[in-house]
């Protein structure tokens, strides 16, 4: 990309596309106020102060933390340069049993991961295995979750359920049920709310806290991202007490030893936080859900997440080659979508991931759906992959 205007992107070869790829669900990353805020302190303090924040930090980091605390129900926020680094910093503390609000039983933790949890968590399975057993299961099967909760109780271990709240390729996990189940077995739930952040809840608090009525459950460890609908960059871990926050600042290695996010990004995040706290974000949410509903009414076929409160839709294709060809046809007509295939989804269950935004116009959505419907009917109802290849 060399230029953007709304949801229209211009590539380096000059071709223009309407993109349904990015996770800019509210368009805040191109909001002029957030862009302008990047220059707030750069002349006074530089692009960054290259030292760990445990030693010395610019005031903007304190300002942002205080604003995020207000968004997250007056709990305690710890920011990282990325959510990946947030997971890497906090999961070992959770596994150690030393994090004040999350003590463990005699035989340590049993980590139960949803098999579709984000790759930034799955990559840490070997790290988690240093603290306790790690299993991966399908969180769509509640009886399987209950089986492992019972196994944890039997072996005197603390179950820690780990999942995304709003899944990136379709699906929403049952937050209340997970927390209630964990509580019954003295366990905890670690939720990645990256795709729920900003698009749900009062002040954009996210899907998890919205479902919980803005009450932070004592069995919850919440992780989220500022790099999607929030309109900035960075990861946040939200903890229930100041004691937990101080402990994490002292022992989370990626915070203690990691360099800070660029100051321009932090100042932009401050501007976004003000937009959230002003209530303006709720107007953007309304516009997003209107666009999502518009899409659902127009698109035909087997659609992942249809009529669900999620900014993500999937046009189910199945065959991997057909999905690639379908996306290529759409690109030729000026639309960019994500082709989701194994191992992101199951083999033979490929789909076109469509990310919707408040910034999409009704005309862009209508035109995309008409084109996608026409291609589906022409090429993919009873398709032969070789025939499609010839057409391309």
């Amino acid at each position: 990309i060399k230029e953007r205007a709304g949801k229209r992107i211009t590539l380096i070869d000059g071709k223009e596309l309407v993109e349904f790829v990015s996770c800019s669900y509210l368009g805040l990353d191109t909001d002029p106020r957030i862009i302008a805020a990047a220059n707030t302190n750069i002349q006074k303090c530089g692009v960054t102060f290259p030292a760990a924040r445990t030693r010395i930090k610019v005031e903007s980091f304190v300002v942002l933390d205080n604003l995020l605390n207000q968004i997250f129900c007056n709990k305690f926020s710890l920011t990282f340069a990325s959510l990946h680094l947030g997971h890497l910093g906090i999961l070992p503390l959770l596994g150690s049993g030393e994090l004040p609000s999350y003590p463990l039983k005699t035989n340590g933790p049993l980590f139960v991961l949803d098999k579709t949890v984000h790759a930034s968590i799955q990559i840490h399975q070997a790290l988690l295995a240093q603290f306790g057993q790690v299993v991966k299961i399908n969180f769509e099967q509640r009886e399987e979750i209950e089986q492992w909760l019972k196994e944890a109780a039997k072996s005197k271990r603390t179950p820690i359920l780990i999942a995304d709240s709003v899944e990136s390729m379709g699906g929403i996990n049952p937050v209340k049920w997970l927390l209630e189940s964990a509580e019954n077995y003295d366990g905890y739930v670690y939720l990645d709310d990256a795709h729920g952040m900003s698009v749900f809840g009062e002040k954009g608090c996210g899907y998890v806290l919205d479902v919980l009525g803005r009450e932070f459950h004592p069995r919850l460890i919440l992780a989220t991202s500022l790099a999607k609908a929030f309109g900035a960059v960075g990861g946040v871990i939200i903890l229930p007490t100041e004691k937990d926050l101080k402990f994490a600042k002292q022992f989370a290695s990626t915070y203690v030893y990691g360099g800070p996010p660029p100051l321009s990004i932090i100042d932009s995040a401050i501007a976004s936080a003000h937009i959230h706290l002003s209530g303006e974000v709720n107007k953007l949410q309304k516009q997003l859900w209107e666009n999502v509903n518009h899409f659902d009414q127009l698109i035909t076929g087997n659609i992942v997440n249809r009529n669900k409160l999620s900014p993500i839709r999937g046009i189910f294709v199945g065959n991997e080659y057909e999905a690639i060809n379908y996306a290529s046809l759409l690109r030729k007509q000026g639309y960019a979508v994500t082709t989701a295939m194994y191992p992101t989804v199951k083999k033979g269950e490929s789909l076109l991931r469509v990310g919707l935004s408040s910034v999409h116009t009704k005309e862009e959505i209508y035109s995309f759906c008409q084109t996608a419907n026409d291609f589906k009917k022409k090429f993919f109802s009873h398709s032969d992959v070789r025939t499609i290849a010839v057409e391309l």
Side-chain angles (χ1 to χ4, degrees), residues 295-297 299-308 313:
F295 179 90
D296 283 346
Q297 291 177 350
I299 198 72
T300 61
N302 185 355
I303 304 301
V304 177
N305 275 1
R306 187 194 290 275
N307 297 325
K308 287 186 179 179
R313 291 293 182 267

Side-chain angles (χ1 to χ4, degrees), residues 123-141:
I123 197 172
H124 300 313
Q125 289 179 70
L127 174 62
L128 296 177
Q130 296 181 40
F131 299 95
Q133 184 180 359
V134 180
V135 296
K136 282 174 62 178
I137 65 172
N138 183 357
F139 271 36
E140 292 179 356
Q141 306 297 325

Side-chain angles (χ1 to χ4, degrees), residues 19 70 88 117 143 156 170 186 203 214 228 232 244 271 282 288-289 310-311 322 326-327 340 347 367 381:
E19 64 94 356
Q70 294 178 52
L88 182 57
V117 73
E143 63 275 12
K156 296 183 180 179
D186 294 324
K203 302 175 184 176
R214 291 183 59 81
K228 300 185 187 305
D244 293 307
N282 298 116
L288 167 65
W289 301 128
S310 168
E322 289 187 12
Y326 196 169
K347 287 183 179 179
S367 181
S381 296

Side-chain angles (χ1 to χ4, degrees), residues 342-362:
Y342 178 83
T344 305
V345 297
K346 293 179 181 178
K347 287 183 179 179
E349 295 190 9
S350 295
L351 55 88
L352 303 187
R353 181 191 184 278
V354 180
L356 293 159
S357 171
S358 62
V359 181
H360 281 117
T361 67
K362 296 293 191 297

Side-chain angles (χ1 to χ4, degrees), residues 144-216:
E144 196 171 356
I145 298 174
E146 291 176 339
Q147 174 190 333
W148 282 104
L149 289 171
K150 291 175 182 177
E151 173 61 28
K154 181 180 178 182
S155 57
K156 296 183 180 179
R157 290 176 292 175
T158 300
I160 301 176
L161 306 179
I162 302 178
D164 294 346
S165 56
V166 179
E167 297 183 358
S168 62
M169 294 298 159
I172 301 176
N173 271 307
V175 170
K176 283 186 175 181
W177 182 86
L178 289 173
L179 284 163
E180 290 168 0
S181 300
E183 188 168 26
N184 289 337
Y185 290 89
D186 294 324
Y188 307 111
V189 182
Y190 185 100
L191 291 173
D192 182 334
D193 200 31
H195 290 279
M197 180 66 203
S198 301
V199 299
F200 290 97
E202 183 185 347
K203 302 175 184 176
C205 63
Y207 180 76
V208 174
L209 292 177
D210 186 44
V211 167
L212 297 177
R214 291 183 59 81
E215 292 290 334
F216 198 97

Side-chain angles (χ1 to χ4, degrees), residues 45 48-62 255-256 258-261 263:
C45 298
T48 186
F49 191 87
R53 285 171 286 170
T54 48
R55 294 166 173 80
I56 189 169
K57 60 187 172 186
V58 178
E59 181 185 16
S60 293
F61 287 94
V62 179
Y255 183 89
V256 175
L263 183 57

